[in-house]
Amino acid sequence: MNITKSELIITAGNKKQFPDNNQIEIAFAGKSNVGKSSLINVLINRKALARTSSTPGKTQTINFYNIQDKFNFVDLPGYGYAKVSKTLRESWGKFIEDYLGKRSSLKQVVLLIDIRHAPSENDKLMYNWISFFHDNVLVVATKVDKIKRSQIAKHISIIKSVLQLRTTDRIIPFSAATKVGKEEIWELLDSIEEME
C-alpha cells in the first residue's frame, strides 16, 4: 500500500478517550522493546511517527494512528517490564483487556515476538488472551536480521510450538532494518479491509 497519510489521532490514557470514528483497527501488542514502534514506522514509511524508546515500559498509553483514512493502527503498551510497579501493571492489564475484548472496531491483533528468543510466559499469556477474543492472531517475529538465514525456520518453529499457534494464525518473520516481511504483512492487512 502506498501510504500518503498517517497521523497520531490520540494518546489514550483511558477508554473514554478512544476515538469513535469506526475505522477498522489493527492493534500491535508485544513486550517492551520488541519493536512495535519500529514495525509501525516501517509499515507507513515514516521514520518517527510512532516514537521508539530505548527505555522499556515507556509507552503506558494506547496510541491511535490514522492510516490513509482506512485503518487505525493501535499501539498497545509494552508488557513484561519488571521496573514498573505491580499496581500499574495490573491497571494496564485491565485497560488492555477491556480494549482487546470489547472494542468492536478491532479486526486484527498483531503480536510481536523477538525471533531470537523463545516466547516468554508473558508472551504466552498475551497470545492466550488475544486468541480468547479473536479467531486469528498475526504473529510478527521481529529482528530476523539478527540471526542467520539458516536458523529462521528453526526459530519460527519454536515460536509456533511454544505459543501453540492455531491453523488460523499466521507468523511472518520481519526486520525493521532490512524491511523483510513488510509486503507480506501489508497483504494480510489489506485483506482485512476486503473482508469488511
PDB file of all heavy atoms in Angstrom, residues 10-18 60-64 91-92 95:
ATOM      1  N   ILE A  10      -4.825  10.170  18.754  1.00  0.00           N
ATOM      2  CA  ILE A  10      -4.891  10.438  20.194  1.00  0.00           C
ATOM      3  C   ILE A  10      -4.030   9.451  20.960  1.00  0.00           C
ATOM      4  O   ILE A  10      -3.836   8.312  20.545  1.00  0.00           O
ATOM      5  CB  ILE A  10      -6.360  10.384  20.713  1.00  0.00           C
ATOM      6  CG1 ILE A  10      -6.460  10.960  22.135  1.00  0.00           C
ATOM      7  CG2 ILE A  10      -6.914   8.954  20.665  1.00  0.00           C
ATOM      8  CD1 ILE A  10      -7.857  11.341  22.562  1.00  0.00           C
ATOM      9  N   THR A  11      -3.505   9.922  22.067  1.00  0.00           N
ATOM     10  CA  THR A  11      -2.821   9.076  23.034  1.00  0.00           C
ATOM     11  C   THR A  11      -3.816   8.906  24.178  1.00  0.00           C
ATOM     12  O   THR A  11      -4.090   9.868  24.895  1.00  0.00           O
ATOM     13  CB  THR A  11      -1.533   9.781  23.508  1.00  0.00           C
ATOM     14  OG1 THR A  11      -0.643   9.851  22.386  1.00  0.00           O
ATOM     15  CG2 THR A  11      -0.851   9.021  24.609  1.00  0.00           C
ATOM     16  N   ALA A  12      -4.388   7.708  24.279  1.00  0.00           N
ATOM     17  CA  ALA A  12      -5.494   7.497  25.226  1.00  0.00           C
ATOM     18  C   ALA A  12      -4.994   6.892  26.534  1.00  0.00           C
ATOM     19  O   ALA A  12      -4.328   5.860  26.532  1.00  0.00           O
ATOM     20  CB  ALA A  12      -6.545   6.587  24.594  1.00  0.00           C
ATOM     21  N   GLY A  13      -5.349   7.544  27.624  1.00  0.00           N
ATOM     22  CA  GLY A  13      -4.997   7.027  28.946  1.00  0.00           C
ATOM     23  C   GLY A  13      -6.145   6.284  29.583  1.00  0.00           C
ATOM     24  O   GLY A  13      -5.982   5.594  30.585  1.00  0.00           O
ATOM     25  N   ASN A  14      -7.344   6.396  29.000  1.00  0.00           N
ATOM     26  CA  ASN A  14      -8.499   5.613  29.470  1.00  0.00           C
ATOM     27  C   ASN A  14      -9.473   5.432  28.314  1.00  0.00           C
ATOM     28  O   ASN A  14      -9.359   6.105  27.288  1.00  0.00           O
ATOM     29  CB  ASN A  14      -9.178   6.289  30.674  1.00  0.00           C
ATOM     30  CG  ASN A  14      -9.731   7.654  30.306  1.00  0.00           C
ATOM     31  OD1 ASN A  14     -10.605   7.774  29.453  1.00  0.00           O
ATOM     32  ND2 ASN A  14      -9.186   8.704  30.921  1.00  0.00           N
ATOM     33  N   LYS A  15     -10.426   4.501  28.484  1.00  0.00           N
ATOM     34  CA  LYS A  15     -11.253   4.123  27.330  1.00  0.00           C
ATOM     35  C   LYS A  15     -12.200   5.225  26.867  1.00  0.00           C
ATOM     36  O   LYS A  15     -12.651   5.214  25.729  1.00  0.00           O
ATOM     37  CB  LYS A  15     -12.002   2.818  27.597  1.00  0.00           C
ATOM     38  CG  LYS A  15     -12.913   2.816  28.776  1.00  0.00           C
ATOM     39  CD  LYS A  15     -13.485   1.410  28.968  1.00  0.00           C
ATOM     40  CE  LYS A  15     -14.386   1.343  30.185  1.00  0.00           C
ATOM     41  NZ  LYS A  15     -14.757  -0.024  30.499  1.00  0.00           N
ATOM     42  N   LYS A  16     -12.478   6.191  27.725  1.00  0.00           N
ATOM     43  CA  LYS A  16     -13.330   7.319  27.309  1.00  0.00           C
ATOM     44  C   LYS A  16     -12.657   8.133  26.198  1.00  0.00           C
ATOM     45  O   LYS A  16     -13.313   8.852  25.461  1.00  0.00           O
ATOM     46  CB  LYS A  16     -13.615   8.236  28.497  1.00  0.00           C
ATOM     47  CG  LYS A  16     -14.498   7.615  29.565  1.00  0.00           C
ATOM     48  CD  LYS A  16     -15.024   8.694  30.511  1.00  0.00           C
ATOM     49  CE  LYS A  16     -15.812   8.087  31.663  1.00  0.00           C
ATOM     50  NZ  LYS A  16     -14.979   7.840  32.844  1.00  0.00           N
ATOM     51  N   GLN A  17     -11.334   8.022  26.116  1.00  0.00           N
ATOM     52  CA  GLN A  17     -10.601   8.799  25.099  1.00  0.00           C
ATOM     53  C   GLN A  17     -10.457   8.057  23.763  1.00  0.00           C
ATOM     54  O   GLN A  17      -9.927   8.617  22.813  1.00  0.00           O
ATOM     55  CB  GLN A  17      -9.203   9.154  25.638  1.00  0.00           C
ATOM     56  CG  GLN A  17      -9.237  10.029  26.876  1.00  0.00           C
ATOM     57  CD  GLN A  17      -7.837  10.259  27.435  1.00  0.00           C
ATOM     58  OE1 GLN A  17      -7.037   9.342  27.566  1.00  0.00           O
ATOM     59  NE2 GLN A  17      -7.539  11.504  27.750  1.00  0.00           N
ATOM     60  N   PHE A  18     -10.914   6.799  23.704  1.00  0.00           N
ATOM     61  CA  PHE A  18     -10.785   6.058  22.442  1.00  0.00           C
ATOM     62  C   PHE A  18     -11.564   6.784  21.346  1.00  0.00           C
ATOM     63  O   PHE A  18     -12.688   7.245  21.582  1.00  0.00           O
ATOM     64  CB  PHE A  18     -11.339   4.627  22.583  1.00  0.00           C
ATOM     65  CG  PHE A  18     -10.543   3.729  23.487  1.00  0.00           C
ATOM     66  CD1 PHE A  18     -11.072   2.505  23.894  1.00  0.00           C
ATOM     67  CD2 PHE A  18      -9.281   4.080  23.947  1.00  0.00           C
ATOM     68  CE1 PHE A  18     -10.351   1.652  24.724  1.00  0.00           C
ATOM     69  CE2 PHE A  18      -8.548   3.238  24.780  1.00  0.00           C
ATOM     70  CZ  PHE A  18      -9.090   2.024  25.171  1.00  0.00           C
ATOM     71  N   GLN A  60       2.840   3.925  28.073  1.00  0.00           N
ATOM     72  CA  GLN A  60       1.883   3.479  29.086  1.00  0.00           C
ATOM     73  C   GLN A  60       0.467   3.871  28.709  1.00  0.00           C
ATOM     74  O   GLN A  60      -0.441   3.830  29.518  1.00  0.00           O
ATOM     75  CB  GLN A  60       2.253   4.067  30.453  1.00  0.00           C
ATOM     76  CG  GLN A  60       3.612   3.580  30.914  1.00  0.00           C
ATOM     77  CD  GLN A  60       4.046   4.255  32.197  1.00  0.00           C
ATOM     78  OE1 GLN A  60       3.243   4.799  32.927  1.00  0.00           O
ATOM     79  NE2 GLN A  60       5.327   4.195  32.472  1.00  0.00           N
ATOM     80  N   THR A  61       0.312   4.272  27.471  1.00  0.00           N
ATOM     81  CA  THR A  61      -0.997   4.663  26.964  1.00  0.00           C
ATOM     82  C   THR A  61      -1.251   3.862  25.696  1.00  0.00           C
ATOM     83  O   THR A  61      -0.359   3.187  25.195  1.00  0.00           O
ATOM     84  CB  THR A  61      -0.977   6.162  26.616  1.00  0.00           C
ATOM     85  OG1 THR A  61       0.183   6.419  25.815  1.00  0.00           O
ATOM     86  CG2 THR A  61      -0.936   7.032  27.857  1.00  0.00           C
ATOM     87  N   ILE A  62      -2.474   3.948  25.183  1.00  0.00           N
ATOM     88  CA  ILE A  62      -2.790   3.324  23.897  1.00  0.00           C
ATOM     89  C   ILE A  62      -2.792   4.441  22.853  1.00  0.00           C
ATOM     90  O   ILE A  62      -3.547   5.403  22.972  1.00  0.00           O
ATOM     91  CB  ILE A  62      -4.153   2.593  23.952  1.00  0.00           C
ATOM     92  CG1 ILE A  62      -4.103   1.437  24.962  1.00  0.00           C
ATOM     93  CG2 ILE A  62      -4.535   2.069  22.577  1.00  0.00           C
ATOM     94  CD1 ILE A  62      -5.381   0.611  25.050  1.00  0.00           C
ATOM     95  N   ASN A  63      -1.904   4.311  21.870  1.00  0.00           N
ATOM     96  CA  ASN A  63      -1.780   5.346  20.838  1.00  0.00           C
ATOM     97  C   ASN A  63      -2.526   4.930  19.577  1.00  0.00           C
ATOM     98  O   ASN A  63      -2.312   3.832  19.065  1.00  0.00           O
ATOM     99  CB  ASN A  63      -0.303   5.591  20.503  1.00  0.00           C
ATOM    100  CG  ASN A  63       0.455   6.150  21.700  1.00  0.00           C
ATOM    101  OD1 ASN A  63      -0.110   6.839  22.537  1.00  0.00           O
ATOM    102  ND2 ASN A  63       1.730   5.851  21.787  1.00  0.00           N
ATOM    103  N   PHE A  64      -3.391   5.804  19.086  1.00  0.00           N
ATOM    104  CA  PHE A  64      -4.178   5.545  17.883  1.00  0.00           C
ATOM    105  C   PHE A  64      -3.637   6.391  16.735  1.00  0.00           C
ATOM    106  O   PHE A  64      -3.510   7.609  16.871  1.00  0.00           O
ATOM    107  CB  PHE A  64      -5.646   5.922  18.111  1.00  0.00           C
ATOM    108  CG  PHE A  64      -6.380   5.012  19.058  1.00  0.00           C
ATOM    109  CD1 PHE A  64      -6.250   5.164  20.430  1.00  0.00           C
ATOM    110  CD2 PHE A  64      -7.204   4.006  18.574  1.00  0.00           C
ATOM    111  CE1 PHE A  64      -6.926   4.327  21.309  1.00  0.00           C
ATOM    112  CE2 PHE A  64      -7.895   3.166  19.447  1.00  0.00           C
ATOM    113  CZ  PHE A  64      -7.747   3.324  20.813  1.00  0.00           C
ATOM    114  N   SER A  91      -3.227  -2.295  36.408  1.00  0.00           N
ATOM    115  CA  SER A  91      -4.163  -1.358  35.770  1.00  0.00           C
ATOM    116  C   SER A  91      -3.989  -1.374  34.246  1.00  0.00           C
ATOM    117  O   SER A  91      -4.965  -1.298  33.501  1.00  0.00           O
ATOM    118  CB  SER A  91      -4.023   0.057  36.336  1.00  0.00           C
ATOM    119  OG  SER A  91      -2.790   0.610  35.962  1.00  0.00           O
ATOM    120  N   TRP A  92      -2.733  -1.525  33.769  1.00  0.00           N
ATOM    121  CA  TRP A  92      -2.501  -1.683  32.323  1.00  0.00           C
ATOM    122  C   TRP A  92      -3.246  -2.899  31.819  1.00  0.00           C
ATOM    123  O   TRP A  92      -3.867  -2.874  30.783  1.00  0.00           O
ATOM    124  CB  TRP A  92      -1.031  -1.995  32.050  1.00  0.00           C
ATOM    125  CG  TRP A  92      -0.113  -0.868  31.940  1.00  0.00           C
ATOM    126  CD1 TRP A  92      -0.387   0.464  32.026  1.00  0.00           C
ATOM    127  CD2 TRP A  92       1.288  -0.988  31.738  1.00  0.00           C
ATOM    128  NE1 TRP A  92       0.764   1.170  31.886  1.00  0.00           N
ATOM    129  CE2 TRP A  92       1.801   0.322  31.714  1.00  0.00           C
ATOM    130  CE3 TRP A  92       2.145  -2.054  31.572  1.00  0.00           C
ATOM    131  CZ2 TRP A  92       3.149   0.574  31.531  1.00  0.00           C
ATOM    132  CZ3 TRP A  92       3.487  -1.796  31.393  1.00  0.00           C
ATOM    133  CH2 TRP A  92       3.984  -0.499  31.379  1.00  0.00           C
ATOM    134  N   PHE A  95      -6.851  -2.313  31.408  1.00  0.00           N
ATOM    135  CA  PHE A  95      -7.016  -1.358  30.306  1.00  0.00           C
ATOM    136  C   PHE A  95      -6.902  -2.082  28.962  1.00  0.00           C
ATOM    137  O   PHE A  95      -7.747  -1.946  28.078  1.00  0.00           O
ATOM    138  CB  PHE A  95      -5.909  -0.306  30.483  1.00  0.00           C
ATOM    139  CG  PHE A  95      -5.937   0.868  29.551  1.00  0.00           C
ATOM    140  CD1 PHE A  95      -7.124   1.461  29.152  1.00  0.00           C
ATOM    141  CD2 PHE A  95      -4.741   1.434  29.104  1.00  0.00           C
ATOM    142  CE1 PHE A  95      -7.126   2.578  28.316  1.00  0.00           C
ATOM    143  CE2 PHE A  95      -4.729   2.538  28.275  1.00  0.00           C
ATOM    144  CZ  PHE A  95      -5.926   3.108  27.878  1.00  0.00           C
TER     145      PHE A  95
END
